[in-house]
Amino acid sequence: MMADREDVLNDFTVEEEMSPAILKAYLQRFPEFTQDLLALFNELSISDLASAEASLPLETKAVSTEALRVQHVRQSLFGTGVREFARDLGLPRAFFTGLNAEVIHIASMPTSLLKALANRLGVHMQDVISGMQQGDGHAVAMKSDVKPGAVPQIDFQDYVDLAGLSEEEQRVLQSLLADDGSD
């Protein structure tokens, strides 16, 4: 039986924690609502990020330049800057929501895309990767903490297929993938 879109989105909204892992689980259970789920996650994350930022003590704001670059990446891809960044690139805002290490297997991300994003953001490729890995702003532990029944990450190409990009957006993405950063 086909899931009801409103029910799925309502369930998603009232999840206890709004994490990329939850998003991924919903994307895999309800691929037909990928765009709605990404957009909703995006809206919810932006309001979360904004309130989290507002509550940061001042001394944590004076962090290392690397941390600032990573924060810039997070802002541009998942935060308050994503609307503008997505518009500049010509890709849907929600597309960036899923470019997250908990959703997409980061090793499956084309290096050319990571380079192009780093280029556009004026940061290092490693900053882009770190930004994608910092799920909830916690440092990434390299130990395996796969919970039983954890949902495996989606391969980048599968994610692109799920994201339902228009032909124009597909072309934009292809040109980013072809961009080796030398311009």
Side-chain angles (χ1 to χ4, degrees):
M1 162 188 129
M2 180 93 167
D4 178 58
R5 179 179 170 274
E6 289 306 308
D7 290 347
V8 170
L9 296 179
N10 284 338
D11 290 351
F12 184 65
T13 309
V14 297
E15 280 290 340
E16 281 194 16
E17 57 156 350
M18 194 39 67
S19 69
I22 301 279
L23 170 65
K24 185 177 62 185
Y26 272 81
L27 288 178
Q28 291 181 323
R29 275 211 326 265
F30 309 105
E32 68 273 25
F33 304 132
T34 295
Q35 289 175 307
D36 295 319
L37 288 165
L38 286 172
L40 184 56
F41 183 81
N42 197 315
E43 290 307 314
L44 297 168
S45 303
I46 286 177
S47 57
D48 279 0
L49 261 176
S51 59
E53 270 172 18
S55 65
L56 277 180
L58 277 170
E59 57 276 16
T60 45
K61 290 188 175 156
V63 281
S64 75
T65 51
E66 181 192 2
L68 285 172
R69 290 195 311 260
V70 171
Q71 196 181 5
H72 174 56
V73 169
R74 293 197 57 72
Q75 274 294 312
S76 302
L77 295 182
F78 315 115
T80 44
V82 72
R83 185 172 281 134
E84 199 179 320
F85 185 64
R87 195 179 49 229
D88 291 349
L89 283 182
L91 284 166
R93 200 169 69 194
F95 178 73
F96 294 102
T97 306
L99 290 185
N100 185 301
E102 287 185 54
V103 177
I104 295 181
H105 187 54
I106 208 128
S108 74
M109 296 263 314
T111 314
S112 53
L113 178 63
L114 296 170
K115 274 190 186 146
L117 292 173
N119 225 22
R120 295 279 156 60
L121 292 167
V123 298
H124 306 299
M125 191 165 104
Q126 186 52 52
D127 299 328
V128 173
I129 293 169
S130 301
M132 290 176 176
Q133 286 175 329
Q134 273 190 353
D136 309 313
H138 304 304
V140 179
M142 284 307 172
K143 66 181 193 323
S144 169
D145 56 356
V146 176
K147 294 164 199 69
V151 197
Q153 287 113 326
I154 304 171
D155 205 59
F156 178 73
Q157 196 48 58
D158 296 338
Y159 174 72
V160 172
D161 297 342
L162 276 176
L165 299 176
S166 70
E167 280 183 33
E168 180 52 36
E169 291 160 351
Q170 292 269 11
R171 272 198 298 280
V172 167
L173 183 60
Q174 288 313 314
S175 71
L176 273 180
L177 294 175
D179 182 358
D180 61 358
S182 59
D183 43 32

